[in-house]
Amino acid sequence: MGPGVIDSPLVQALDRIATDIDAAFDALLPVPDDARARLVEAMRYAAIGGGKRLRPLLLATTAEMYGVDRGAAIRAGVAIEAIHVYSLIHDDLPCMDDDALRHGKPTLHVAFDEATAVLAGDSLHAFAFEMLAEPATSADPFVRIELVQTLGAASGFRGMAGGQMMDLVAETSEFDLQTVTRLQQLKTGALLGAAVEMGAILGRVPVEGRAHLRGFARDIGLAFQITDDLIDHEGDAAVAGKAVGKDAVAGKETFVSLLGAERARTQAQVLVDQAVAHLAQHGREADVLRALARYIIERDH
Amino acid sequence: MGPGVIDSPLVQALDRIATDIDAAFDALLPVPDDARARLVEAMRYAAIGGGKRLRPLLLATTAEMYGVDRGAAIRAGVAIEAIHVYSLIHDDLPCMDDDALRHGKPTLHVAFDEATAVLAGDSLHAFAFEMLAEPATSADPFVRIELVQTLGAASGFRGMAGGQMMDLVAETSEFDLQTVTRLQQLKTGALLGAAVEMGAILGRVPVEGRAHLRGFARDIGLAFQITDDLIDHEGDAAVAGKAVGKDAVAGKETFVSLLGAERARTQAQVLVDQAVAHLAQHGREADVLRALARYIIERDH
């Protein structure tokens, strides 16, 4: 990504969140001195040093807008990233998407084995909720329980996991644009929405004050997925760090197959403009969120 | 189980908890009218109508000793059972124990498919924490967050999932009695301990007042596992409702292989006596827990 693609405060924020999340996973997942060592090594392999950390960045940037302590935001960021990482581990399994490459390195079941991958995913899943429940995340139990509720709802069968199920069904069904949109809102959008929502919860923003943030997240979530479809359609596996061209092979309808590449690209741009408009009430403190929205459709991986 | 095997109040309590947990899963998991239907059907297939519901029974019986409302105990019981069921679904997968039979019916990946089984397990996992986080479980956020923390710690890599990892390693290692004991304390004991602990949390018993309950759970947990090993060693698949004789085939050390059947049986009896002794401070209100401790080593499945 050249200097013209994304602006410098965003580059700094991306660097900073990657460093902070890696450091937090490293500190929170020490390798035990017994037969569980292999499990924690697997969790660390999947969790440390990979990915753009978009969800923690959304969470921490939103939290910062409301004056939240960085340490609390990073703990909640680790929790949501742990959910994201667990979902990727299970998604990559042979019985699911059967992917061998993730973030440019072998997927967990390839580097370790399938059983360890299932357990490491399950362990990161439980770890996320443990993180949120501990007093270090917030002294206020109302804040902690709302974080748990928000992340649980976003990741469970009504959210992310439900979207993944729809994605499995998509391989053998003819989905229309409305159904694909719903699928993606659940599969990817629910967790991105939870990220900004959790930042606002840490900032003690009441429910009614979060509507514009949820609107922002909904729009960038869809723009993000359309861009993913474009990357899968046109991308280069070496740059993407994962296999591309898979949707067409699987016979899945995507935004690109339904709209065509050109209209899909236009739609993503409209969504990003709309997302930025949701932030009108905020000043410079929302600049990173704005830059992030633009970056989401300009990235190539 | 004949009338001499377990006494009547326990039979009633087992019947009642099975009915209540089935009804709660049924009410809490309505099948949606979209492509997620198959996921929820899979969750229901695994969660409804199977198993002895030992964990919810331990939780609800402990809660009742401290005057907790039955509805709250059932919600928390559904949460811990959802964790137990998800762990069985993932444990049964071809890449794990590769079991085709569970509670006398085809395992989830056989009845549905592997991908759906992975997702249904993940969905029940998230559902457990969602359950606990909702105000319907307790109006007090301190109670809810402590429930989340307790269940998260018991089921994650420091608890159940860590024990499952040790169990995988056991197939290729020579574990001694101490390591097998530790493995089982994590794999089975952690969640049984969480069950009584969660009942006490709902009953607002302070941490220092729960030591005897944790001691009770630790002892019945080990007695439970020794009995499982005896059932695997001597049992009848038709009665057990699952494959037996698997430990010997897998070359795993068990309490039976390390102690011999006779000493293992004696050890289980000693543990049950010890468990019952932990309840000395309680009167008749702990009779179901006492009967349950005895039942655990007398069952044949």
Side-chain angles (χ1 to χ4, degrees):
Chain A
M1 42 181 104
V5 177
I6 53 173
D7 67 348
S8 169
L10 178 59
V11 172
Q12 284 169 21
L14 282 162
D15 281 352
R16 187 166 167 235
I17 197 76
T19 304
D20 287 353
I21 293 292
D22 276 352
F25 273 125
D26 181 47
L28 293 162
L29 294 174
V31 179
D33 190 23
D34 62 26
R36 289 171 297 178
R38 184 175 166 81
L39 177 60
V40 181
E41 280 160 7
M43 294 166 77
R44 294 173 61 92
Y45 176 87
I48 299 175
K52 291 174 288 291
R53 312 302 195 185
L54 278 188
R55 290 152 197 82
L57 180 60
L58 280 169
L59 192 158
T61 306
T62 308
E64 197 177 352
M65 280 167 48
Y66 295 104
V68 174
D69 165 70
R70 177 87 179 168
I74 293 301
R75 281 185 66 93
V78 158
I80 199 166
E81 190 69 5
I83 293 287
H84 177 57
V85 172
Y86 114 66
S87 78
L88 297 180
I89 295 171
H90 285 183
D91 238 11
D92 288 339
L93 286 170
C95 69
M96 302 276 286
D97 283 355
D98 195 13
D99 275 310
L101 198 63
R102 168 73 66 185
H103 302 141
K105 63 181 187 179
T107 47
L108 189 58
H109 66 273
V110 171
F112 287 70
D113 59 82
E114 277 185 62
T116 303
V118 170
L119 282 179
D122 291 341
S123 299
L124 284 164
H125 194 169
F127 171 74
F129 293 107
E130 271 188 90
M131 272 296 90
L132 296 182
E134 284 172 12
T137 303
S138 167
D140 183 344
F142 275 105
V143 167
R144 275 141 58 204
I145 204 70
E146 204 178 349
L147 292 173
V148 169
Q149 224 178 326
T150 303
L151 189 57
S155 62
F157 69 99
R158 292 182 193 88
M160 181 185 76
Q164 289 174 301
M165 187 70 218
M166 290 179 75
D167 204 29
L168 286 177
V169 173
E171 292 183 19
T172 51
S173 302
E174 292 275 299
F175 279 2
D176 58 12
L177 186 61
Q178 196 187 337
T179 310
V180 169
T181 303
R182 178 82 185 122
L183 184 169
Q184 298 300 351
Q185 275 171 339
L186 294 169
K187 191 184 170 203
T188 319
L191 212 54
L192 293 171
V196 294
E197 186 109 24
M198 289 166 73
I201 290 167
L202 282 171
R204 292 162 186 281
V205 180
V207 174
E208 54 279 13
R210 299 177 208 155
H212 68 295
L213 293 169
R214 281 201 301 271
F216 170 81
R218 195 175 50 240
D219 291 336
I220 65 164
L222 275 182
F224 180 89
Q225 189 55 49
I226 294 173
T227 307
D228 251 18
D229 288 352
L230 285 163
I231 291 172
D232 184 77
H233 178 69
E234 300 165 357
D236 177 332
V239 176
K242 60 183 177 183
V244 296
K246 295 190 64 191
D247 291 331
V249 172
K252 274 189 220 173
E253 299 292 357
T254 68
F255 290 111
V256 176
S257 71
L258 290 165
L259 293 172
E262 206 40 57
R263 278 179 63 204
R265 211 181 317 275
T266 305
Q267 181 64 16
Q269 185 59 57
V270 169
L271 284 164
V272 166
D273 293 344
Q274 213 170 278
V276 171
H278 279 300
L279 302 176
Q281 68 182 260
H282 295 287
R284 295 294 306 273
E285 76 277 14
D287 275 357
V288 172
L289 287 185
R290 294 184 186 101
L292 189 59
R294 285 182 213 105
Y295 162 65
I296 270 176
I297 57 168
E298 284 160 11
R299 72 202 161 89
D300 53 10
H301 67 285
Chain B
M1 39 180 107
V5 176
I6 53 172
D7 66 349
S8 168
L10 178 58
V11 172
Q12 285 169 22
L14 282 162
D15 281 352
R16 188 168 166 233
I17 196 77
T19 305
D20 287 353
I21 293 292
D22 276 352
F25 272 124
D26 181 47
L28 293 162
L29 294 174
V31 179
D33 190 22
D34 62 26
R36 290 171 296 178
R38 186 174 165 82
L39 177 61
V40 181
E41 280 160 8
M43 294 166 78
R44 294 173 61 92
Y45 177 88
I48 298 176
K52 291 175 289 291
R53 312 301 195 185
L54 277 187
R55 292 151 195 82
L57 180 60
L58 280 169
L59 192 158
T61 306
T62 308
E64 197 176 353
M65 280 166 49
Y66 296 104
V68 174
D69 165 70
R70 177 87 178 168
I74 293 301
R75 281 185 65 94
V78 159
I80 198 166
E81 190 69 5
I83 292 288
H84 176 57
V85 172
Y86 113 67
S87 78
L88 297 180
I89 295 171
H90 285 183
D91 237 11
D92 288 338
L93 285 170
C95 69
M96 303 276 285
D97 284 355
D98 195 13
D99 276 310
L101 198 62
R102 168 74 64 184
H103 301 140
K105 62 180 186 178
T107 47
L108 189 58
H109 65 273
V110 171
F112 287 69
D113 59 82
E114 277 185 61
T116 303
V118 170
L119 282 179
D122 291 342
S123 298
L124 284 164
H125 194 171
F127 171 73
F129 293 108
E130 271 188 89
M131 273 295 90
L132 296 181
E134 284 172 11
T137 302
S138 166
D140 183 342
F142 275 106
V143 167
R144 275 140 60 204
I145 204 71
E146 203 177 350
L147 292 173
V148 170
Q149 225 178 324
T150 303
L151 190 56
S155 62
F157 69 99
R158 294 182 192 86
M160 181 184 77
Q164 289 174 301
M165 188 71 218
M166 291 180 74
D167 205 29
L168 286 177
V169 174
E171 292 183 18
T172 52
S173 302
E174 292 274 301
F175 279 1
D176 58 13
L177 186 60
Q178 196 188 337
T179 310
V180 169
T181 303
R182 178 84 183 121
L183 183 170
Q184 299 299 352
Q185 275 172 339
L186 294 169
K187 191 183 169 203
T188 319
L191 212 54
L192 293 171
V196 295
E197 188 109 22
M198 289 166 74
I201 290 167
L202 281 172
R204 292 161 184 280
V205 181
V207 174
E208 55 278 13
R210 301 179 208 154
H212 69 294
L213 293 170
R214 282 201 301 272
F216 170 81
R218 194 175 50 240
D219 292 336
I220 65 164
L222 275 183
F224 182 89
Q225 190 55 48
I226 293 173
T227 307
D228 251 19
D229 288 352
L230 284 163
I231 291 171
D232 185 76
H233 177 68
E234 301 166 357
D236 176 331
V239 177
K242 59 182 178 184
V244 297
K246 294 190 64 190
D247 291 333
V249 173
K252 273 190 221 173
E253 299 292 0
T254 69
F255 289 111
V256 176
S257 72
L258 289 165
L259 292 171
E262 206 42 56
R263 278 180 63 206
R265 210 181 318 275
T266 306
Q267 181 63 17
Q269 184 60 57
V270 169
L271 284 164
V272 166
D273 293 343
Q274 212 171 281
V276 171
H278 279 299
L279 302 176
Q281 69 183 260
H282 295 287
R284 294 294 305 272
E285 77 276 13
D287 275 357
V288 172
L289 287 184
R290 293 184 187 101
L292 190 57
R294 285 183 211 104
Y295 162 64
I296 270 176
I297 58 167
E298 284 159 13
R299 73 201 159 90
D300 53 10
H301 67 287

